[in-house]
Amino acid sequence: MQNNSEYNQSTNSTSFETSKKSTIIWDLGAVLIDWNPHHLYRKIFDDEAEMLNFLKNVCTFEWNEEQDGGRTIQEANDYLIARHPEHEDNIRAYYGRWEEMLGGPIHDSVEILREMRSRGEHNLYALTNWSAELFPIALERYDFLGWFDGIVVSGTEKDRKPNHSFYHTLLNRYSLQPSEVLFIDDNLRNIKAAEQLGIESIHFTSPEELRARLEKMGVL
């Protein structure tokens, strides 16, 4: 699972078309769910700089993405511990205490999703980079995940954003046309990939900005 707010620099979103969309596709992490390794590792490290160095050079964003793409947690731990045996305990904590990285729902974003669902004017799907082994925890914890008409999970598909093939998996599974879809994601890399496929997109930076853009488009 990815968290763009910590790993990627924020930039402004692209401009929108005003055409009516029938389908909204949501990212989950850092858009609807506050997931962040810092929530856990601030408990483990007394020194902020030491924590940041560990996440930059040991349990990296790129390493985590491989689990999002289908690598098992056991394989991930074995791989990293072999390269950094001095950090074994902290490496094992990444998934052993993974639930402590979950800070809860991003309430204002969830409220937007609730309003979309109540209006009943759009099909609602989620396209998420998330380990297949861990996603059941989210399903149990967050009731609003049941509001979606479908969720495509990268770890299950063994494919992930920003690969075009992963977007096509969702489009093909639910018989969606790119021109009819609006995509919301916090990672600019994923936004650019969607736009290359002709999918209009919103680069999420805050619930307040998302609401303003959706109201401007007539979605809310």
Side-chain angles (χ1 to χ4, degrees), residues 147-185:
W147 301 349
F148 289 103
D149 298 302
I151 301 176
V152 177
V153 179
S154 63
T156 302
E157 304 299 330
K158 294 182 169 42
D159 197 4
R160 59 178 172 81
K161 296 175 285 188
N163 298 338
H164 287 183
S165 53
F166 189 48
Y167 298 82
H168 281 302
T169 295
L170 186 147
L171 295 173
N172 294 336
R173 183 167 298 167
Y174 299 107
S175 301
L176 304 175
Q177 296 299 318
S179 61
E180 300 171 351
V181 169
L182 176 66
F183 175 58
I184 302 166
D185 198 297

Side-chain angles (χ1 to χ4, degrees), residues 65-80:
E65 276 200 315
E66 292 300 316
Q67 287 69 268
D68 290 345
R71 182 168 64 181
T72 69
I73 291 172
Q74 182 64 54
E75 291 169 337
N77 284 339
D78 290 347
Y79 172 87
L80 211 55

Side-chain angles (χ1 to χ4, degrees), residues 51-86:
M51 178 198 74
L52 293 174
N53 182 67
F54 175 80
L55 292 174
K56 180 181 179 180
N57 295 298
V58 183
C59 287
T60 65
F61 173 66
E62 292 77 15
W63 172 76
N64 175 66
E65 276 200 315
E66 292 300 316
Q67 287 69 268
D68 290 345
R71 182 168 64 181
T72 69
I73 291 172
Q74 182 64 54
E75 291 169 337
N77 284 339
D78 290 347
Y79 172 87
L80 211 55
I81 290 167
R83 285 155 180 77
H84 302 279
E86 71 279 13

Side-chain angles (χ1 to χ4, degrees), residues 7-209:
Y7 286 111
N8 298 279
Q9 294 182 348
S10 176
T11 62
N12 292 328
S13 180
T14 59
S15 60
F16 303 117
E17 299 175 0
T18 58
S19 57
K20 187 73 171 177
K21 302 297 181 181
S22 63
T23 299
I24 313 295
I25 300 175
W26 289 75
D27 177 36
L28 298 180
V31 176
L32 289 164
I33 297 171
D34 174 19
W35 175 86
N36 196 318
H38 292 197
H39 296 322
L40 167 63
Y41 283 101
R42 284 196 175 106
K43 302 175 185 178
I44 293 174
F45 289 93
D46 295 327
D47 182 82
E48 181 86 0
E50 187 178 355
M51 178 198 74
L52 293 174
N53 182 67
F54 175 80
L55 292 174
K56 180 181 179 180
N57 295 298
V58 183
C59 287
T60 65
F61 173 66
E62 292 77 15
W63 172 76
N64 175 66
E65 276 200 315
E66 292 300 316
Q67 287 69 268
D68 290 345
R71 182 168 64 181
T72 69
I73 291 172
Q74 182 64 54
E75 291 169 337
N77 284 339
D78 290 347
Y79 172 87
L80 211 55
I81 290 167
R83 285 155 180 77
H84 302 279
E86 71 279 13
H87 292 295
E88 179 173 356
D89 288 345
N90 291 338
I91 292 169
R92 292 193 182 280
Y94 196 97
Y95 291 112
R97 298 173 60 181
W98 180 84
E99 290 187 59
E100 295 177 57
M101 298 182 189
L102 294 172
I106 300 175
H107 294 287
D108 289 345
S109 293
V110 174
E111 181 57 30
I112 293 171
L113 178 63
R114 185 192 306 276
E115 291 178 31
M116 286 183 178
R117 181 180 181 234
S118 296
R119 289 167 67 106
E121 297 175 358
H122 300 90
N123 302 312
L124 300 173
Y125 297 99
L127 186 70
T128 183
N129 282 2
W130 205 304
S131 162
E133 293 173 84
L134 298 174
F135 194 66
I137 296 173
L139 286 174
E140 183 175 346
R141 179 171 294 201
Y142 304 111
D143 291 344
F144 62 83
L145 294 179
W147 301 349
F148 289 103
D149 298 302
I151 301 176
V152 177
V153 179
S154 63
T156 302
E157 304 299 330
K158 294 182 169 42
D159 197 4
R160 59 178 172 81
K161 296 175 285 188
N163 298 338
H164 287 183
S165 53
F166 189 48
Y167 298 82
H168 281 302
T169 295
L170 186 147
L171 295 173
N172 294 336
R173 183 167 298 167
Y174 299 107
S175 301
L176 304 175
Q177 296 299 318
S179 61
E180 300 171 351
V181 169
L182 176 66
F183 175 58
I184 302 166
D185 198 297
D186 69 302
N187 191 318
L188 186 62
R189 178 190 64 176
N190 299 338
I191 291 292
K192 289 181 176 179
E195 289 175 341
Q196 289 167 1
L197 295 173
I199 299 172
E200 189 174 359
S201 302
I202 295 177
H203 179 212
F204 178 89
T205 57
S206 72
E208 295 76 20
E209 183 176 354

